[in-house]
Amino acid sequence: MSIVSVIFKSSIGKKYVMAGTGALLFLFVIGHLVGNLQVFGPPELINTYAHFLQSKPAMVWGARIGLLVLVVLHVTTAVQLSIANKAARPVTYSGGEAYGSAWQSRYMLMSGIVIAAFIVYHLAHFTARLPAINGVGDFTKIKTVLHGEIVPDVYAMMVLGFQVWWVALFYIVAQALLFIHLGHGIASAFQSFGLRDHVWWPRIQFLAKGASIAIFIGYALIPISIYMRVVGSDYAGKAAAQLKDSASVQPAVATQGKETH
Amino acid sequence: MKVKLKVWRQKNRNTAGEFRTYESPALNENMSFLEMLDVVNEELANKGEDPIAFDHDCREGICGTCSLVIGGKPHGPHRGVATCQTYMRSFRDGDTIVVEPFRAKAFPIIKDLVVDRKAFDRIQHAGGFISVRTGAAPDANSIPVPKENADLAMDAAQCIGCGACVAACKNASAMLFVAAKVSHLGLLPQGQPERFKRVKAMVTQMDAEGFGACTVTGSCEAVCPKEISLDFIARMNRDYGVALLKGEPKQIAGGVG
């Protein structure tokens, strides 16, 4: 049997797939957070970044296809493992949780399912920009002027989008579940690849906890600070006005293009 | 002291089982859990009822024969001991104690609390040995072994193959058992020639037996009567990866056979 078929068939091989795809998705989560934290800068900052990404379709689509492959592998392998794991114990015990098990480890499938649902919503919300699900209006109509070009106003989309309480709440809940998922997943990925001994295990667990907390704080801060009207509330007001006058494609903030002359 | 026992009774693997409750006679609190079952069984036998079947042998924590899930934990409430080393003083007078067999697809029930753990033997047969003629006992220090490796190998070799790891794991995974067996030979010089062939063969057999996969919950480590560490599962995962990368050994044509 080839090494690939052994990996996809054996129990340990499947754990390699989970760990490898999980590690790469974790790297994406870090990169995505760094990109998103630019919302705390002036509107031009994240709009320039978004425009830069949009202007490189080969890179963006390459990344999207890569991420899709990773997510599909991560999810299908998780489902296969869960089915096999359930089948390994056809009759359960009369009572009690699994003795001595880390509580996060028992909720990996549940947290994973919610995160997957969140990814679908997040893509529909800010990538496909479906008006029906954002509680605001048609995001595709929000434009701004950047370096003399009319571009999508990502900053306005974010500051408007997270003023809707249930959107902000869903994002925070999803991030909390990602925190649980990563808290167990990062350390377990090291375990699955065998990168651990009695000296490194406490360090790996510390790193996993630290990284998952940092990711949670970073991501949750965005909807929280926008919902609390700490970030971009003036800008959101102007963008909302622009959205009402939906025929208009004029820039939301006239001053935004000032340094581009 | 007296306790109430809620015990799983099942005639054989083809009939359905059920919990039945028994009142123990007066017990000495320094009886082991197995001695308590002996006393209960004696009473059952005197009444003409079928005694509760359970596994036991050495009763000193080294053979790995006793099993039982007592109050939701394999081998009873304490850490680092087997059921035979669990004493009635760990329970209170009047307690209701739930006693179940190890539950796993790969460990079918034979009767009551006795399960068939031959799956472990088949995993051992697949590679848990070294292929050498042992001959007479060699001189003790003829093959030098680094102290750290010897210590780790001995930690792994403590595994008595009782199956508590499988019983505790929410996935009924046998990874801790297989990891201990793979590691204790893989850490010693005598185990090196077959190190990677061994790990592949044993993991393949483990999967074939229908055990689940590892989700690093830590249950196995927590219930292991010999306190075998999850570190060994990482070691097995590492060796398995190396074995896959090395591929099958090349067949050599000819030779003197």
Side-chain angles (χ1 to χ4, degrees), chain A residues 3 6 10-12 15-16 85 87-89 91 93-94 99 101-102 105 184 188 191-192 194 196 198, chain B residues 73 100 103 105 166-167 169 171-172 207 212-217 219 230-231 233-234 237-238 240-241 244:
Chain A
I3 181 166
V6 176
S10 79
S11 57
I12 297 181
K15 297 308 291 190
Y16 294 156
N85 290 345
R89 166 144 318 126
V91 183
Y93 293 109
S94 69
Y99 179 87
S101 61
S105 70
H184 184 69
S188 294
Q191 166 85 357
S192 293
R196 132 173 201 187
H198 67 285
Chain B
K73 179 184 172 285
E100 295 168 88
R103 301 280 193 197
K105 187 177 142 221
V166 174
C169 177
N171 308 328
D207 287 350
C214 176
T215 35
V216 203
T217 67
S219 287
L230 277 177
D231 288 343
I233 297 183
N237 290 344
R238 196 157 69 224
Y240 186 74
L244 290 187

mmCIF file of all heavy atoms in Angstrom, chain A residues 3 6 10-12 15-16 85 87-89 91 93-94 99 101-102 105 184 188 191-192 194 196 198, chain B residues 73 100 103 105 166-167 169 171-172 207 212-217 219 230-231 233-234 237-238 240-241 244:
data_model
loop_
_atom_site.group_PDB
_atom_site.id
_atom_site.type_symbol
_atom_site.label_atom_id
_atom_site.label_comp_id
_atom_site.label_asym_id
_atom_site.label_seq_id
_atom_site.Cartn_x
_atom_site.Cartn_y
_atom_site.Cartn_z
ATOM 1 N N ILE A 3 1.995 5.070 0.868
ATOM 2 C CA ILE A 3 1.986 5.791 2.141
ATOM 3 C C ILE A 3 0.710 6.629 2.286
ATOM 4 O O ILE A 3 0.125 6.730 3.360
ATOM 5 C CB ILE A 3 3.268 6.648 2.275
ATOM 6 C CG1 ILE A 3 3.278 7.387 3.610
ATOM 7 C CG2 ILE A 3 3.431 7.624 1.129
ATOM 8 C CD1 ILE A 3 4.621 7.977 3.960
ATOM 9 N N VAL A 6 -2.225 4.429 3.263
ATOM 10 C CA VAL A 6 -2.091 3.989 4.661
ATOM 11 C C VAL A 6 -2.495 5.123 5.599
ATOM 12 O O VAL A 6 -3.205 4.916 6.576
ATOM 13 C CB VAL A 6 -0.638 3.531 4.963
ATOM 14 C CG1 VAL A 6 -0.499 3.183 6.443
ATOM 15 C CG2 VAL A 6 -0.282 2.323 4.135
ATOM 16 N N SER A 10 -5.423 4.277 8.256
ATOM 17 C CA SER A 10 -5.131 3.863 9.631
ATOM 18 C C SER A 10 -5.575 4.937 10.626
ATOM 19 O O SER A 10 -5.712 6.114 10.281
ATOM 20 C CB SER A 10 -3.633 3.593 9.786
ATOM 21 O OG SER A 10 -2.940 4.801 9.935
ATOM 22 N N SER A 11 -5.785 4.495 11.868
ATOM 23 C CA SER A 11 -6.264 5.431 12.891
ATOM 24 C C SER A 11 -5.213 6.509 13.170
ATOM 25 O O SER A 11 -5.556 7.685 13.289
ATOM 26 C CB SER A 11 -6.596 4.665 14.173
ATOM 27 O OG SER A 11 -5.468 3.946 14.626
ATOM 28 N N ILE A 12 -3.953 6.113 13.250
ATOM 29 C CA ILE A 12 -2.916 7.122 13.528
ATOM 30 C C ILE A 12 -2.722 8.022 12.313
ATOM 31 O O ILE A 12 -2.551 9.237 12.456
ATOM 32 C CB ILE A 12 -1.595 6.442 13.961
ATOM 33 C CG1 ILE A 12 -1.802 5.667 15.263
ATOM 34 C CG2 ILE A 12 -0.491 7.479 14.148
ATOM 35 C CD1 ILE A 12 -0.568 4.983 15.796
ATOM 36 N N LYS A 15 -5.129 10.675 12.343
ATOM 37 C CA LYS A 15 -4.773 11.712 13.321
ATOM 38 C C LYS A 15 -3.707 12.651 12.743
ATOM 39 O O LYS A 15 -3.711 13.842 13.041
ATOM 40 C CB LYS A 15 -4.258 11.084 14.627
ATOM 41 C CG LYS A 15 -5.260 10.234 15.374
ATOM 42 C CD LYS A 15 -6.593 10.921 15.629
ATOM 43 C CE LYS A 15 -6.496 12.053 16.627
ATOM 44 N NZ LYS A 15 -7.839 12.532 17.033
ATOM 45 N N TYR A 16 -2.812 12.107 11.899
ATOM 46 C CA TYR A 16 -1.847 12.979 11.219
ATOM 47 C C TYR A 16 -2.593 13.981 10.332
ATOM 48 O O TYR A 16 -2.227 15.156 10.265
ATOM 49 C CB TYR A 16 -0.888 12.178 10.323
ATOM 50 C CG TYR A 16 0.067 11.235 11.014
ATOM 51 C CD1 TYR A 16 0.599 10.149 10.326
ATOM 52 C CD2 TYR A 16 0.467 11.429 12.328
ATOM 53 C CE1 TYR A 16 1.488 9.275 10.919
ATOM 54 C CE2 TYR A 16 1.351 10.552 12.940
ATOM 55 C CZ TYR A 16 1.856 9.474 12.230
ATOM 56 O OH TYR A 16 2.733 8.611 12.824
ATOM 57 N N ASN A 85 -14.969 5.912 16.328
ATOM 58 C CA ASN A 85 -14.822 5.978 17.783
ATOM 59 C C ASN A 85 -16.116 5.600 18.491
ATOM 60 O O ASN A 85 -16.100 4.946 19.531
ATOM 61 C CB ASN A 85 -14.392 7.385 18.214
ATOM 62 C CG ASN A 85 -12.963 7.687 17.806
ATOM 63 O OD1 ASN A 85 -12.207 6.782 17.452
ATOM 64 N ND2 ASN A 85 -12.595 8.949 17.841
ATOM 65 N N ALA A 87 -18.389 3.626 17.223
ATOM 66 C CA ALA A 87 -18.597 2.192 16.970
ATOM 67 C C ALA A 87 -17.745 1.340 17.901
ATOM 68 O O ALA A 87 -18.084 0.191 18.178
ATOM 69 C CB ALA A 87 -18.278 1.863 15.521
ATOM 70 N N ALA A 88 -16.615 1.891 18.380
ATOM 71 C CA ALA A 88 -15.721 1.110 19.243
ATOM 72 C C ALA A 88 -16.318 0.875 20.620
ATOM 73 O O ALA A 88 -15.829 0.039 21.370
ATOM 74 C CB ALA A 88 -14.367 1.814 19.371
ATOM 75 N N ARG A 89 -17.360 1.639 20.980
ATOM 76 C CA ARG A 89 -18.044 1.387 22.250
ATOM 77 C C ARG A 89 -19.538 1.317 22.014
ATOM 78 O O ARG A 89 -20.260 2.301 22.194
ATOM 79 C CB ARG A 89 -17.699 2.457 23.291
ATOM 80 C CG ARG A 89 -18.639 2.420 24.492
ATOM 81 C CD ARG A 89 -18.033 2.737 25.848
ATOM 82 N NE ARG A 89 -16.758 2.153 26.097
ATOM 83 C CZ ARG A 89 -15.678 2.854 26.474
ATOM 84 N NH1 ARG A 89 -15.755 4.136 26.645
ATOM 85 N NH2 ARG A 89 -14.543 2.237 26.694
ATOM 86 N N VAL A 91 -21.908 -0.336 23.644
ATOM 87 C CA VAL A 91 -22.692 -0.231 24.884
ATOM 88 C C VAL A 91 -21.967 0.735 25.810
ATOM 89 O O VAL A 91 -20.779 0.568 26.084
ATOM 90 C CB VAL A 91 -22.821 -1.608 25.573
ATOM 91 C CG1 VAL A 91 -23.694 -1.497 26.810
ATOM 92 C CG2 VAL A 91 -23.372 -2.646 24.613
ATOM 93 N N TYR A 93 -21.434 3.144 29.411
ATOM 94 C CA TYR A 93 -21.512 2.907 30.851
ATOM 95 C C TYR A 93 -22.788 3.525 31.412
ATOM 96 O O TYR A 93 -23.385 4.404 30.802
ATOM 97 C CB TYR A 93 -20.274 3.474 31.541
ATOM 98 C CG TYR A 93 -19.019 2.730 31.171
ATOM 99 C CD1 TYR A 93 -18.058 3.313 30.350
ATOM 100 C CD2 TYR A 93 -18.802 1.431 31.615
ATOM 101 C CE1 TYR A 93 -16.908 2.623 29.996
ATOM 102 C CE2 TYR A 93 -17.659 0.741 31.259
ATOM 103 C CZ TYR A 93 -16.720 1.336 30.463
ATOM 104 O OH TYR A 93 -15.593 0.655 30.104
ATOM 105 N N SER A 94 -23.150 3.048 32.614
ATOM 106 C CA SER A 94 -24.441 3.469 33.160
ATOM 107 C C SER A 94 -24.433 4.927 33.597
ATOM 108 O O SER A 94 -25.457 5.569 33.651
ATOM 109 C CB SER A 94 -24.797 2.583 34.348
ATOM 110 O OG SER A 94 -23.928 2.850 35.416
ATOM 111 N N TYR A 99 -13.829 9.329 32.906
ATOM 112 C CA TYR A 99 -13.005 9.679 34.066
ATOM 113 C C TYR A 99 -11.665 10.256 33.615
ATOM 114 O O TYR A 99 -11.006 9.712 32.741
ATOM 115 C CB TYR A 99 -12.770 8.442 34.929
ATOM 116 C CG TYR A 99 -11.905 8.713 36.128
ATOM 117 C CD1 TYR A 99 -12.453 9.169 37.308
ATOM 118 C CD2 TYR A 99 -10.527 8.556 36.051
ATOM 119 C CE1 TYR A 99 -11.652 9.449 38.409
ATOM 120 C CE2 TYR A 99 -9.717 8.829 37.148
ATOM 121 C CZ TYR A 99 -10.294 9.272 38.316
ATOM 122 O OH TYR A 99 -9.488 9.552 39.392
ATOM 123 N N SER A 101 -10.797 12.733 31.852
ATOM 124 C CA SER A 101 -10.581 13.320 30.533
ATOM 125 C C SER A 101 -10.648 14.844 30.613
ATOM 126 O O SER A 101 -11.401 15.405 31.400
ATOM 127 C CB SER A 101 -11.626 12.807 29.547
ATOM 128 O OG SER A 101 -12.918 13.169 29.969
ATOM 129 N N ALA A 102 -9.825 15.493 29.792
ATOM 130 C CA ALA A 102 -9.862 16.951 29.702
ATOM 131 C C ALA A 102 -11.211 17.346 29.101
ATOM 132 O O ALA A 102 -11.625 16.777 28.089
ATOM 133 C CB ALA A 102 -8.723 17.436 28.807
ATOM 134 N N SER A 105 -11.630 18.157 25.446
ATOM 135 C CA SER A 105 -11.475 17.039 24.520
ATOM 136 C C SER A 105 -12.808 16.371 24.225
ATOM 137 O O SER A 105 -12.966 15.728 23.196
ATOM 138 C CB SER A 105 -10.496 16.019 25.100
ATOM 139 O OG SER A 105 -11.070 15.352 26.203
ATOM 140 N N HIS A 184 -7.584 22.612 23.024
ATOM 141 C CA HIS A 184 -7.262 21.182 22.997
ATOM 142 C C HIS A 184 -6.520 20.808 21.717
ATOM 143 O O HIS A 184 -5.612 19.984 21.742
ATOM 144 C CB HIS A 184 -8.539 20.352 23.105
ATOM 145 C CG HIS A 184 -8.286 18.875 23.177
ATOM 146 N ND1 HIS A 184 -7.709 18.273 24.267
ATOM 147 C CD2 HIS A 184 -8.476 17.887 22.276
ATOM 148 C CE1 HIS A 184 -7.589 16.985 24.045
ATOM 149 N NE2 HIS A 184 -8.040 16.719 22.843
ATOM 150 N N SER A 188 -2.903 18.828 21.004
ATOM 151 C CA SER A 188 -3.107 17.474 20.496
ATOM 152 C C SER A 188 -2.414 17.254 19.161
ATOM 153 O O SER A 188 -2.033 16.131 18.842
ATOM 154 C CB SER A 188 -4.600 17.184 20.343
ATOM 155 O OG SER A 188 -5.194 17.178 21.609
ATOM 156 N N GLN A 191 0.891 16.136 19.917
ATOM 157 C CA GLN A 191 0.811 14.746 20.378
ATOM 158 C C GLN A 191 0.657 13.794 19.192
ATOM 159 O O GLN A 191 1.316 12.774 19.114
ATOM 160 C CB GLN A 191 -0.380 14.593 21.337
ATOM 161 C CG GLN A 191 -0.787 13.162 21.629
ATOM 162 C CD GLN A 191 0.014 12.543 22.752
ATOM 163 O OE1 GLN A 191 0.921 13.159 23.292
ATOM 164 N NE2 GLN A 191 -0.292 11.308 23.094
ATOM 165 N N SER A 192 -0.218 14.149 18.241
ATOM 166 C CA SER A 192 -0.483 13.248 17.120
ATOM 167 C C SER A 192 0.760 13.050 16.258
ATOM 168 O O SER A 192 0.983 11.971 15.730
ATOM 169 C CB SER A 192 -1.627 13.779 16.262
ATOM 170 O OG SER A 192 -2.816 13.728 17.006
ATOM 171 N N GLY A 194 3.638 13.152 17.463
ATOM 172 C CA GLY A 194 4.656 12.570 18.330
ATOM 173 C C GLY A 194 5.686 13.572 18.798
ATOM 174 O O GLY A 194 6.753 13.196 19.272
ATOM 175 N N ARG A 196 6.492 15.349 21.395
ATOM 176 C CA ARG A 196 6.244 15.610 22.807
ATOM 177 C C ARG A 196 7.071 14.657 23.640
ATOM 178 O O ARG A 196 7.300 13.520 23.248
ATOM 179 C CB ARG A 196 4.759 15.409 23.067
ATOM 180 C CG ARG A 196 4.472 14.560 24.267
ATOM 181 C CD ARG A 196 3.040 14.487 24.629
ATOM 182 N NE ARG A 196 2.970 14.077 26.020
ATOM 183 C CZ ARG A 196 1.850 13.781 26.645
ATOM 184 N NH1 ARG A 196 0.713 13.851 26.037
ATOM 185 N NH2 ARG A 196 1.859 13.440 27.904
ATOM 186 N N HIS A 198 8.109 14.259 28.255
ATOM 187 C CA HIS A 198 7.634 14.749 29.555
ATOM 188 C C HIS A 198 8.128 16.160 29.846
ATOM 189 O O HIS A 198 7.544 16.865 30.657
ATOM 190 C CB HIS A 198 8.049 13.778 30.661
ATOM 191 C CG HIS A 198 9.527 13.704 30.886
ATOM 192 N ND1 HIS A 198 10.370 13.038 30.020
ATOM 193 C CD2 HIS A 198 10.309 14.228 31.848
ATOM 194 C CE1 HIS A 198 11.613 13.154 30.463
ATOM 195 N NE2 HIS A 198 11.604 13.868 31.561
ATOM 196 N N LYS B 73 -15.264 4.236 37.132
ATOM 197 C CA LYS B 73 -13.823 4.267 36.859
ATOM 198 C C LYS B 73 -13.252 2.844 36.871
ATOM 199 O O LYS B 73 -13.477 2.104 37.832
ATOM 200 C CB LYS B 73 -13.106 5.114 37.908
ATOM 201 C CG LYS B 73 -11.597 5.162 37.680
ATOM 202 C CD LYS B 73 -10.878 5.927 38.765
ATOM 203 C CE LYS B 73 -9.370 5.783 38.619
ATOM 204 N NZ LYS B 73 -8.865 4.464 39.037
ATOM 205 N N GLU B 100 -19.547 -2.598 36.621
ATOM 206 C CA GLU B 100 -19.826 -2.926 35.222
ATOM 207 C C GLU B 100 -18.620 -3.610 34.606
ATOM 208 O O GLU B 100 -17.495 -3.432 35.071
ATOM 209 C CB GLU B 100 -20.092 -1.630 34.425
ATOM 210 C CG GLU B 100 -21.324 -0.882 34.851
ATOM 211 C CD GLU B 100 -21.345 0.509 34.240
ATOM 212 O OE1 GLU B 100 -21.850 0.657 33.131
ATOM 213 O OE2 GLU B 100 -20.850 1.447 34.892
ATOM 214 N N ARG B 103 -16.288 -1.940 28.778
ATOM 215 C CA ARG B 103 -17.155 -1.847 27.598
ATOM 216 C C ARG B 103 -16.346 -1.458 26.366
ATOM 217 O O ARG B 103 -15.827 -0.343 26.294
ATOM 218 C CB ARG B 103 -18.219 -0.774 27.819
ATOM 219 C CG ARG B 103 -19.120 -1.001 29.025
ATOM 220 C CD ARG B 103 -20.192 -1.982 28.695
ATOM 221 N NE ARG B 103 -21.240 -2.003 29.722
ATOM 222 C CZ ARG B 103 -22.109 -2.998 29.826
ATOM 223 N NH1 ARG B 103 -22.063 -4.022 28.999
ATOM 224 N NH2 ARG B 103 -23.042 -2.956 30.764
ATOM 225 N N LYS B 105 -16.177 -2.689 21.879
ATOM 226 C CA LYS B 105 -16.540 -3.646 20.825
ATOM 227 C C LYS B 105 -15.468 -4.733 20.736
ATOM 228 O O LYS B 105 -15.774 -5.901 20.515
ATOM 229 C CB LYS B 105 -16.652 -2.899 19.498
ATOM 230 C CG LYS B 105 -17.186 -3.740 18.368
ATOM 231 C CD LYS B 105 -17.329 -2.898 17.110
ATOM 232 C CE LYS B 105 -16.965 -3.687 15.883
ATOM 233 N NZ LYS B 105 -16.186 -2.911 14.911
ATOM 234 N N VAL B 166 -8.504 1.010 27.595
ATOM 235 C CA VAL B 166 -9.597 0.860 26.621
ATOM 236 C C VAL B 166 -10.937 1.128 27.310
ATOM 237 O O VAL B 166 -11.806 1.816 26.774
ATOM 238 C CB VAL B 166 -9.590 -0.562 26.018
ATOM 239 C CG1 VAL B 166 -10.797 -0.777 25.133
ATOM 240 C CG2 VAL B 166 -8.299 -0.805 25.267
ATOM 241 N N ALA B 167 -11.068 0.589 28.532
ATOM 242 C CA ALA B 167 -12.331 0.729 29.253
ATOM 243 C C ALA B 167 -12.634 2.184 29.572
ATOM 244 O O ALA B 167 -13.785 2.610 29.536
ATOM 245 C CB ALA B 167 -12.270 -0.083 30.543
ATOM 246 N N CYS B 169 -11.294 5.031 28.017
ATOM 247 C CA CYS B 169 -11.292 5.944 26.871
ATOM 248 C C CYS B 169 -12.695 6.089 26.297
ATOM 249 O O CYS B 169 -13.388 5.099 26.101
ATOM 250 C CB CYS B 169 -10.357 5.409 25.794
ATOM 251 S SG CYS B 169 -10.359 6.418 24.296
ATOM 252 N N ASN B 171 -13.366 6.687 23.402
ATOM 253 C CA ASN B 171 -13.342 6.075 22.075
ATOM 254 C C ASN B 171 -12.966 4.600 22.135
ATOM 255 O O ASN B 171 -12.726 3.994 21.090
ATOM 256 C CB ASN B 171 -12.327 6.785 21.184
ATOM 257 C CG ASN B 171 -12.531 8.275 21.160
ATOM 258 O OD1 ASN B 171 -13.652 8.752 21.274
ATOM 259 N ND2 ASN B 171 -11.450 9.012 21.024
ATOM 260 N N ALA B 172 -12.873 4.028 23.340
ATOM 261 C CA ALA B 172 -12.399 2.652 23.515
ATOM 262 C C ALA B 172 -11.140 2.424 22.692
ATOM 263 O O ALA B 172 -11.003 1.448 21.963
ATOM 264 C CB ALA B 172 -13.489 1.635 23.154
ATOM 265 N N ASP B 207 -6.042 -1.532 14.691
ATOM 266 C CA ASP B 207 -7.157 -0.999 13.894
ATOM 267 C C ASP B 207 -8.108 -2.119 13.486
ATOM 268 O O ASP B 207 -9.328 -1.949 13.517
ATOM 269 C CB ASP B 207 -6.623 -0.285 12.653
ATOM 270 C CG ASP B 207 -5.968 1.053 12.994
ATOM 271 O OD1 ASP B 207 -6.103 1.488 14.157
ATOM 272 O OD2 ASP B 207 -5.332 1.642 12.118
ATOM 273 N N GLY B 212 -10.988 2.309 18.971
ATOM 274 C CA GLY B 212 -11.129 3.670 18.450
ATOM 275 C C GLY B 212 -9.779 4.362 18.337
ATOM 276 O O GLY B 212 -8.730 3.763 18.606
ATOM 277 N N ALA B 213 -9.824 5.631 17.938
ATOM 278 C CA ALA B 213 -8.596 6.417 17.796
ATOM 279 C C ALA B 213 -8.393 7.282 19.042
ATOM 280 O O ALA B 213 -9.277 7.393 19.889
ATOM 281 C CB ALA B 213 -8.680 7.291 16.555
ATOM 282 N N CYS B 214 -7.219 7.900 19.129
ATOM 283 C CA CYS B 214 -6.873 8.702 20.312
ATOM 284 C C CYS B 214 -7.319 10.144 20.109
ATOM 285 O O CYS B 214 -7.019 10.752 19.092
ATOM 286 C CB CYS B 214 -5.369 8.660 20.531
ATOM 287 S SG CYS B 214 -4.803 9.690 21.891
ATOM 288 N N THR B 215 -8.064 10.687 21.074
ATOM 289 C CA THR B 215 -8.375 12.119 21.029
ATOM 290 C C THR B 215 -7.708 12.853 22.189
ATOM 291 O O THR B 215 -8.138 13.929 22.586
ATOM 292 C CB THR B 215 -9.894 12.392 21.032
ATOM 293 O OG1 THR B 215 -10.530 11.427 21.848
ATOM 294 C CG2 THR B 215 -10.482 12.315 19.656
ATOM 295 N N VAL B 216 -6.665 12.247 22.736
ATOM 296 C CA VAL B 216 -5.831 12.899 23.756
ATOM 297 C C VAL B 216 -6.693 13.426 24.925
ATOM 298 O O VAL B 216 -6.492 14.540 25.397
ATOM 299 C CB VAL B 216 -4.975 14.029 23.142
ATOM 300 C CG1 VAL B 216 -3.751 14.296 24.022
ATOM 301 C CG2 VAL B 216 -4.510 13.691 21.752
ATOM 302 N N THR B 217 -7.643 12.613 25.367
ATOM 303 C CA THR B 217 -8.479 13.058 26.486
ATOM 304 C C THR B 217 -7.743 12.890 27.811
ATOM 305 O O THR B 217 -8.038 13.572 28.779
ATOM 306 C CB THR B 217 -9.793 12.267 26.573
ATOM 307 O OG1 THR B 217 -9.480 10.919 26.914
ATOM 308 C CG2 THR B 217 -10.564 12.289 25.270
ATOM 309 N N SER B 219 -7.891 10.129 29.683
ATOM 310 C CA SER B 219 -8.569 9.169 30.561
ATOM 311 C C SER B 219 -7.706 7.932 30.825
ATOM 312 O O SER B 219 -7.635 7.439 31.947
ATOM 313 C CB SER B 219 -9.883 8.704 29.936
ATOM 314 O OG SER B 219 -10.846 9.703 29.988
ATOM 315 N N LEU B 230 0.968 9.308 28.700
ATOM 316 C CA LEU B 230 0.580 9.615 27.318
ATOM 317 C C LEU B 230 1.799 9.888 26.438
ATOM 318 O O LEU B 230 1.702 9.835 25.217
ATOM 319 C CB LEU B 230 -0.306 10.867 27.292
ATOM 320 C CG LEU B 230 -1.794 10.751 27.570
ATOM 321 C CD1 LEU B 230 -2.409 12.129 27.545
ATOM 322 C CD2 LEU B 230 -2.475 9.896 26.539
ATOM 323 N N ASP B 231 2.943 10.207 27.060
ATOM 324 C CA ASP B 231 4.174 10.418 26.290
ATOM 325 C C ASP B 231 4.449 9.238 25.363
ATOM 326 O O ASP B 231 4.970 9.416 24.260
ATOM 327 C CB ASP B 231 5.380 10.553 27.231
ATOM 328 C CG ASP B 231 5.389 11.869 27.989
ATOM 329 O OD1 ASP B 231 4.669 12.784 27.565
ATOM 330 O OD2 ASP B 231 6.113 11.958 28.991
ATOM 331 N N ILE B 233 2.304 7.381 23.843
ATOM 332 C CA ILE B 233 1.472 7.427 22.625
ATOM 333 C C ILE B 233 2.146 8.336 21.605
ATOM 334 O O ILE B 233 2.188 8.026 20.415
ATOM 335 C CB ILE B 233 0.038 7.891 22.951
ATOM 336 C CG1 ILE B 233 -0.637 6.881 23.888
ATOM 337 C CG2 ILE B 233 -0.775 8.048 21.663
ATOM 338 C CD1 ILE B 233 -2.077 7.198 24.221
ATOM 339 N N ALA B 234 2.721 9.452 22.091
ATOM 340 C CA ALA B 234 3.445 10.340 21.173
ATOM 341 C C ALA B 234 4.623 9.597 20.549
ATOM 342 O O ALA B 234 4.885 9.716 19.349
ATOM 343 C CB ALA B 234 3.930 11.582 21.914
ATOM 344 N N ASN B 237 3.285 7.359 17.895
ATOM 345 C CA ASN B 237 2.902 8.137 16.712
ATOM 346 C C ASN B 237 4.132 8.516 15.899
ATOM 347 O O ASN B 237 4.098 8.508 14.669
ATOM 348 C CB ASN B 237 2.161 9.412 17.130
ATOM 349 C CG ASN B 237 0.785 9.118 17.703
ATOM 350 O OD1 ASN B 237 0.262 8.021 17.535
ATOM 351 N ND2 ASN B 237 0.212 10.081 18.393
ATOM 352 N N ARG B 238 5.201 8.868 16.604
ATOM 353 C CA ARG B 238 6.450 9.268 15.953
ATOM 354 C C ARG B 238 7.052 8.068 15.217
ATOM 355 O O ARG B 238 7.402 8.156 14.045
ATOM 356 C CB ARG B 238 7.392 9.762 17.045
ATOM 357 C CG ARG B 238 8.566 10.562 16.586
ATOM 358 C CD ARG B 238 9.051 11.428 17.734
ATOM 359 N NE ARG B 238 9.658 10.674 18.829
ATOM 360 C CZ ARG B 238 9.414 10.905 20.114
ATOM 361 N NH1 ARG B 238 8.578 11.841 20.477
ATOM 362 N NH2 ARG B 238 10.018 10.201 21.049
ATOM 363 N N TYR B 240 5.544 5.407 14.237
ATOM 364 C CA TYR B 240 4.655 4.990 13.143
ATOM 365 C C TYR B 240 4.894 5.871 11.921
ATOM 366 O O TYR B 240 4.966 5.366 10.794
ATOM 367 C CB TYR B 240 3.204 5.080 13.607
ATOM 368 C CG TYR B 240 2.205 4.538 12.610
ATOM 369 C CD1 TYR B 240 2.076 3.169 12.408
ATOM 370 C CD2 TYR B 240 1.394 5.391 11.868
ATOM 371 C CE1 TYR B 240 1.169 2.667 11.497
ATOM 372 C CE2 TYR B 240 0.478 4.897 10.956
ATOM 373 C CZ TYR B 240 0.364 3.532 10.777
ATOM 374 O OH TYR B 240 -0.534 3.033 9.869
ATOM 375 N N GLY B 241 5.041 7.174 12.141
ATOM 376 C CA GLY B 241 5.326 8.103 11.034
ATOM 377 C C GLY B 241 6.630 7.760 10.346
ATOM 378 O O GLY B 241 6.708 7.709 9.115
ATOM 379 N N LEU B 244 6.195 4.678 8.271
ATOM 380 C CA LEU B 244 5.512 4.930 6.993
ATOM 381 C C LEU B 244 6.479 5.551 5.991
ATOM 382 O O LEU B 244 6.482 5.197 4.812
ATOM 383 C CB LEU B 244 4.315 5.855 7.193
ATOM 384 C CG LEU B 244 3.111 5.297 7.936
ATOM 385 C CD1 LEU B 244 1.961 6.291 7.891
ATOM 386 C CD2 LEU B 244 2.667 3.956 7.374
#
